[in-house]
Amino acid sequence: MITRIDRLGVELPPPSDHDPAGAAVVQELMGGKFGEMSTFMNYTFQSFNFRGRQAARPYYDLVANIAAEEFGHIELVAAAINTMLTDTGKSNGRGAKAPKAALSEYKGIGNPQHFVAGGKGALPQDSNGRPWSGDYVFSSGDLVEDLAHNFFLETGARNGKLKVYEMVEHPAARALTGYLLVRGGVHQVAYARALEHLTGADLTKLFPAPRIPTDKIPECKPHIKAGLHRTLYRFSADDYQELSAVWNGKHPETGDELIVEDGPPEGAPAHDLPPQTDVFAPDYAPEDIAEIAQKLRVAAGLPKKPTGAVA
């Protein structure tokens, strides 16, 4: 079971200039072969299918916890895409009724499904608009094979993140990729360390692979300074206690000691993205929805103001 926390893994900037073309590129980090849906579902199914988990508990704990973090990465990628699709100018002033040809300015820019199917929202697709496929999931049941696959999956994922970073200059995309490059590096090191403990094969001799100088990328530097490159989170109050049996020693690039931190990252509240009336998100009359929601809160004995926290 998963406990969900209403925060993003890291702070993203608020909506600024919308960038539909950039959002289409960032979709690769969502539904591409090496995207976050792939890492999440690969590790999730490997944890579901793990046999002999008690005897091999440190390895099971590792795969299960990284799967939990990848769920949060999916949400983070979606938040970045949605931020980039948010029009903070024209659409907010269109009132309660979408005018004719409200979306004409987006024709031929980015992924049209963001507008005709997604309500200016992220979709389970890659940068070409192809749906994510379960064919991307590898769960052989063989621990060595799965761990080796995961190492190279993270290698490809970090390569993809760098390319998106270099293609898209939007602040949300840069904040997203800067964070994911660091966290993906943690997962890459984790699977390398797991294989070394299990087989003696030292994949860390390949590092950095790919050769990404994260210490020179502005959006990576704060996370490295905070030690996020050497920290593996334990996503449970009581379970998965054996992570440190695998996640230990020195970081292969920086020499820092690897540490396990109990609990998820502190994260940051998400921005309350404004309604986009040209695509009826949340509907053509968002003020009516807000009024109805307030009445429901009062009838339930809740405060008039929403209880959740947003940026």
Side-chain angles (χ1 to χ4, degrees):
M1 297 184 287
I2 292 178
T3 297
R4 184 167 180 177
I5 301 170
D6 193 15
R7 294 172 70 86
L8 298 177
V10 71
E11 183 180 2
L12 291 180
S16 52
D17 292 338
H18 64 294
D19 185 2
V25 175
V26 177
Q27 278 285 163
E28 190 67 23
L29 303 185
M30 174 66 80
K33 185 176 181 180
F34 296 97
E36 301 302 316
M37 288 186 67
S38 290
T39 52
F40 169 59
M41 293 302 286
N42 269 270
Y43 312 152
T44 296
F45 271 90
Q46 289 172 14
S47 67
F48 288 167
N49 300 341
F50 203 109
R51 295 183 181 274
R53 70 172 66 177
Q54 196 65 358
R57 172 62 65 173
Y59 296 101
Y60 170 75
D61 285 6
L62 182 76
V63 174
N65 269 268
I66 295 179
E69 181 169 0
E70 299 292 3
F71 177 83
H73 289 181
I74 293 173
E75 183 176 25
L76 191 60
V77 173
I81 292 170
N82 296 342
T83 300
M84 298 169 72
L85 292 172
T86 298
D87 187 342
T88 58
K90 296 179 181 178
S91 64
N92 284 340
R94 284 169 177 161
K97 192 173 183 180
K100 294 180 180 178
L103 298 174
S104 60
E105 64 185 288
Y106 303 117
K107 186 168 58 179
I109 301 175
N111 181 357
Q113 286 207 316
H114 277 154
F115 309 98
V116 300
K120 289 189 178 179
L123 297 167
Q125 299 177 352
D126 65 13
S127 55
N128 286 318
R130 291 188 297 251
W132 181 83
S133 172
D135 288 341
Y136 297 154
V137 174
F138 183 89
S139 178
S140 71
D142 183 285
L143 182 57
V144 173
E145 192 174 1
D146 284 351
L147 292 173
H149 167 271
N150 296 351
F151 171 80
F152 288 107
L153 178 61
E154 290 290 349
T155 302
R158 294 187 76 229
N159 201 343
K161 292 175 179 69
L162 179 66
K163 291 173 181 175
V164 171
Y165 177 90
E166 293 176 336
M167 286 184 71
V168 186
E169 295 180 309
H170 192 280
R174 287 292 175 88
L176 169 75
T177 47
Y179 177 75
L180 292 182
L181 278 167
V182 173
R183 294 307 300 163
V186 170
H187 301 165
Q188 189 183 35
V189 173
Y191 289 125
R193 294 291 290 154
L195 281 164
E196 183 180 4
H197 286 308
L198 193 61
T199 69
D202 187 3
L203 295 182
T204 62
K205 291 180 178 178
L206 300 174
F207 285 113
R211 300 194 178 278
I212 301 173
T214 51
D215 59 331
K216 297 180 181 179
I217 297 175
E219 291 80 3
C220 293
K221 287 181 178 180
H223 306 307
I224 295 173
K225 185 177 181 181
L228 269 61
H229 65 296
R230 67 188 187 106
T231 303
L232 192 67
Y233 296 105
R234 191 172 64 85
F235 283 84
S236 176
D238 303 305
D239 299 315
Y240 310 117
Q241 297 285 345
E242 298 190 16
L243 286 173
S244 59
V246 176
W247 184 252
N248 54 43
K250 304 287 186 181
H251 191 285
E253 295 177 51
T254 67
D256 295 322
E257 198 72 28
L258 303 177
I259 60 173
V260 174
E261 184 170 316
D262 289 338
E266 180 181 355
H271 291 280
D272 191 4
L273 301 181
Q276 301 290 282
T277 54
D278 52 359
V279 290
F280 307 104
D283 203 340
Y284 66 90
E287 63 276 10
D288 292 343
I289 295 176
E291 182 179 349
I292 292 168
Q294 186 182 59
K295 290 179 180 178
L296 291 174
R297 280 194 292 270
V298 172
L302 297 170
K304 283 188 176 181
K305 292 184 178 181
T307 57
V310 292

